[in-house]
Amino acid sequence: QVQLVESGGGLVQPGGSLRLSCTASGIIFVIYTMGWYRQAPGKQRELVAAITSGGVTNYADSVKGRFTISRDNAKNTVYLQMNSLKPEDTAVYYCNARATMRMREYDYWGQGTQVTVSS
């Protein structure tokens, strides 16, 4: 049974920081590209950051320089360090695991964790 479990969300003031964690089970974590997506009310889900099995990262323009994605394969965990948070970062943040094996895409999602940036 595949599970992605996020933690670390909460309420923070503008300019503050949060660190999100996502721990995976039921997959061979090391071969998956891991990503963080977010969805605000009334808006489409968007990619925030991703990291490949080889450690190559990709960020949305809106978070470059403020957010950092990393992974610890020994712990089956991916992190999102969020600094200099802005109200527009408020959203539900979802962890994603994706890999292609034998020409088939495997795509898994966590339940989401709420991040609210407000004074």
Side-chain angles (χ1 to χ4, degrees), residues 6 20 33-39 45-50 80 91-98 107-109 112-113:
E6 301 103 329
L20 305 183
T33 292
M34 302 298 300
W36 289 97
Y37 292 72
R38 68 187 182 189
Q39 188 166 28
R45 187 173 297 188
E46 65 174 352
L47 175 69
V48 178
L80 186 67
V92 177
Y93 284 70
Y94 296 91
C95 179
N96 172 257
R98 184 174 297 166
D107 194 7
Y108 303 104
W109 293 90
T113 185

Coordinates of all heavy atoms in Angstrom, one line a residue, residues 6 20 33-39 45-50 80 91-98 107-109 112-113:
E6 N 2.4 13.9 4.6 CA 3.0 15.2 4.7 C 2.8 15.7 6.2 O 1.9 15.4 6.9 CB 2.3 16.3 3.8 CG 2.4 16.0 2.3 CD 1.1 15.4 1.8 OE1 0.3 14.8 2.6 OE2 0.8 15.7 0.6
L20 N 8.3 21.8 5.4 CA 7.4 20.7 5.1 C 8.1 19.4 4.9 O 9.2 19.4 4.3 CB 6.5 20.9 3.9 CG 5.7 22.2 3.8 CD1 4.8 22.2 2.6 CD2 4.8 22.4 5.1
T33 N 10.9 10.6 -8.9 CA 11.0 12.0 -8.8 C 9.9 12.5 -7.8 O 8.8 12.0 -7.9 CB 10.7 12.7 -10.2 OG1 11.8 12.4 -11.1 CG2 10.5 14.2 -10.1
M34 N 10.4 13.3 -6.9 CA 9.5 13.8 -5.8 C 9.2 15.3 -6.1 O 10.0 16.0 -6.5 CB 10.1 13.6 -4.5 CG 10.5 12.2 -4.1 SD 9.0 11.1 -4.1 CE 8.0 11.8 -2.8
G35 N 7.9 15.7 -5.8 CA 7.6 17.0 -6.0 C 6.6 17.5 -4.9 O 6.0 16.8 -4.2
W36 N 6.6 18.9 -4.8 CA 5.6 19.6 -4.0 C 4.7 20.4 -5.0 O 5.3 21.2 -5.8 CB 6.3 20.5 -3.0 CG 6.9 19.7 -1.9 CD1 8.2 19.4 -1.8 CD2 6.3 19.2 -0.7 NE1 8.4 18.7 -0.6 CE2 7.3 18.6 0.1 CE3 5.0 19.3 -0.2 CZ2 7.0 18.0 1.3 CZ3 4.7 18.7 1.0 CH2 5.7 18.0 1.7
Y37 N 3.4 20.3 -4.8 CA 2.5 21.1 -5.5 C 1.6 21.8 -4.5 O 1.6 21.4 -3.3 CB 1.5 20.2 -6.4 CG 2.2 19.5 -7.5 CD1 3.1 18.5 -7.4 CD2 1.9 19.9 -8.9 CE1 3.7 17.8 -8.4 CE2 2.6 19.3 -9.9 CZ 3.4 18.3 -9.7 OH 4.0 17.7 -10.8
R38 N 1.0 22.9 -5.0 CA 0.0 23.6 -4.1 C -1.2 24.0 -4.8 O -1.2 24.2 -6.0 CB 0.7 24.8 -3.4 CG 1.1 25.9 -4.4 CD 1.9 27.0 -3.7 NE 2.2 28.1 -4.5 CZ 3.0 29.1 -4.2 NH1 3.6 29.1 -3.0 NH2 3.3 30.0 -5.1
Q39 N -2.3 24.2 -4.1 CA -3.5 24.6 -4.6 C -4.2 25.5 -3.7 O -4.5 25.2 -2.5 CB -4.4 23.4 -4.9 CG -5.7 23.8 -5.7 CD -6.4 22.5 -6.3 OE1 -6.3 21.4 -5.7 NE2 -7.1 22.7 -7.4
R45 N -4.1 23.6 -9.4 CA -2.9 23.0 -8.7 C -1.7 23.3 -9.5 O -1.7 23.2 -10.8 CB -3.1 21.5 -8.5 CG -2.0 20.9 -7.7 CD -2.3 19.5 -7.3 NE -3.5 19.3 -6.5 CZ -3.9 18.2 -6.0 NH1 -3.2 17.1 -6.1 NH2 -5.0 18.2 -5.3
E46 N -0.6 23.8 -8.9 CA 0.6 24.2 -9.6 C 1.8 23.5 -8.9 O 1.8 23.2 -7.7 CB 0.8 25.7 -9.6 CG 1.0 26.3 -8.2 CD 1.3 27.8 -8.2 OE1 1.5 28.3 -9.3 OE2 1.4 28.4 -7.1
L47 N 2.8 23.2 -9.8 CA 4.1 22.7 -9.3 C 4.8 23.8 -8.5 O 5.0 24.9 -9.1 CB 4.9 22.2 -10.4 CG 6.3 21.7 -10.1 CD1 6.2 20.4 -9.2 CD2 7.2 21.5 -11.3
V48 N 5.3 23.5 -7.3 CA 6.1 24.4 -6.6 C 7.6 24.0 -6.7 O 8.4 24.9 -7.0 CB 5.7 24.3 -5.1 CG1 6.6 25.2 -4.2 CG2 4.3 24.7 -4.9
A49 N 7.9 22.8 -6.6 CA 9.3 22.3 -6.7 C 9.3 20.8 -6.9 O 8.4 20.1 -6.5 CB 10.1 22.7 -5.4
A50 N 10.4 20.4 -7.6 CA 10.6 18.9 -7.8 C 12.0 18.6 -7.7 O 12.9 19.5 -7.9 CB 10.0 18.5 -9.2
L80 N 10.5 20.4 2.0 CA 10.4 21.7 1.3 C 10.6 22.8 2.4 O 9.8 23.0 3.3 CB 9.1 21.9 0.7 CG 8.9 23.2 -0.1 CD1 9.8 23.2 -1.4 CD2 7.4 23.4 -0.5
A91 N -1.9 28.0 0.7 CA -2.5 27.0 -0.1 C -2.4 25.7 0.6 O -1.7 25.6 1.7 CB -1.7 26.9 -1.4
V92 N -3.0 24.7 0.1 CA -2.8 23.3 0.5 C -1.6 22.8 -0.3 O -1.6 22.8 -1.5 CB -4.0 22.4 0.3 CG1 -3.7 21.0 0.7 CG2 -5.2 23.0 1.2
Y93 N -0.6 22.2 0.4 CA 0.6 21.7 -0.3 C 0.5 20.2 -0.3 O 0.2 19.6 0.7 CB 1.8 22.2 0.5 CG 2.2 23.6 0.2 CD1 1.4 24.7 0.7 CD2 3.3 24.0 -0.6 CE1 1.7 26.0 0.4 CE2 3.6 25.3 -0.8 CZ 2.8 26.3 -0.3 OH 3.1 27.6 -0.6
Y94 N 0.7 19.6 -1.5 CA 0.6 18.2 -1.7 C 2.0 17.6 -2.1 O 2.7 18.2 -3.0 CB -0.4 17.9 -2.8 CG -1.8 18.3 -2.5 CD1 -2.3 19.6 -2.9 CD2 -2.6 17.4 -1.9 CE1 -3.6 19.9 -2.6 CE2 -4.0 17.8 -1.6 CZ -4.4 19.0 -2.0 OH -5.7 19.4 -1.7
C95 N 2.3 16.5 -1.6 CA 3.5 15.7 -1.9 C 3.1 14.8 -3.1 O 2.1 14.2 -3.1 CB 4.0 15.0 -0.7 SG 5.4 13.9 -1.0
N96 N 4.1 14.7 -4.0 CA 3.9 13.8 -5.2 C 5.1 13.0 -5.4 O 6.2 13.4 -5.3 CB 3.6 14.7 -6.4 CG 3.5 13.9 -7.7 OD1 4.5 13.9 -8.5 ND2 2.5 13.2 -7.9
A97 N 4.8 11.7 -5.8 CA 5.9 10.8 -6.2 C 5.5 10.3 -7.6 O 4.4 9.8 -7.9 CB 6.0 9.6 -5.2
R98 N 6.5 10.3 -8.5 CA 6.3 9.9 -9.9 C 7.5 9.2 -10.5 O 8.6 9.6 -10.3 CB 5.9 11.1 -10.8 CG 5.6 10.9 -12.2 CD 5.1 12.1 -12.9 NE 3.9 12.7 -12.2 CZ 3.5 13.9 -12.4 NH1 4.1 14.8 -13.2 NH2 2.4 14.3 -11.8
D107 N 2.1 7.3 -10.3 CA 1.9 8.7 -9.8 C 1.1 8.6 -8.6 O -0.1 8.1 -8.6 CB 1.1 9.5 -10.9 CG 1.1 11.0 -10.7 OD1 1.8 11.4 -9.8 OD2 0.4 11.6 -11.5
Y108 N 1.7 9.1 -7.5 CA 1.0 9.0 -6.2 C 1.0 10.4 -5.5 O 1.9 11.2 -5.7 CB 1.8 8.0 -5.3 CG 1.9 6.6 -5.9 CD1 3.0 6.2 -6.4 CD2 0.7 5.8 -5.9 CE1 3.1 4.9 -7.0 CE2 0.8 4.5 -6.5 CZ 2.0 4.1 -7.0 OH 2.1 2.9 -7.6
W109 N 0.0 10.6 -4.7 CA -0.2 11.9 -4.0 C -0.5 11.7 -2.5 O -1.1 10.7 -2.1 CB -1.4 12.6 -4.6 CG -1.2 13.0 -6.0 CD1 -1.5 12.3 -7.1 CD2 -0.7 14.2 -6.5 NE1 -1.2 13.0 -8.2 CE2 -0.7 14.2 -7.9 CE3 -0.3 15.4 -5.8 CZ2 -0.3 15.3 -8.6 CZ3 0.2 16.5 -6.6 CH2 0.2 16.4 -8.0
G112 N -2.2 16.2 1.6 CA -2.1 17.6 1.6 C -2.0 18.1 3.0 O -2.5 17.6 4.0
T113 N -1.3 19.3 3.1 CA -1.1 20.0 4.4 C -1.3 21.5 4.2 O -0.8 22.0 3.2 CB 0.2 19.7 5.1 OG1 0.3 20.3 6.4 CG2 1.4 20.2 4.2

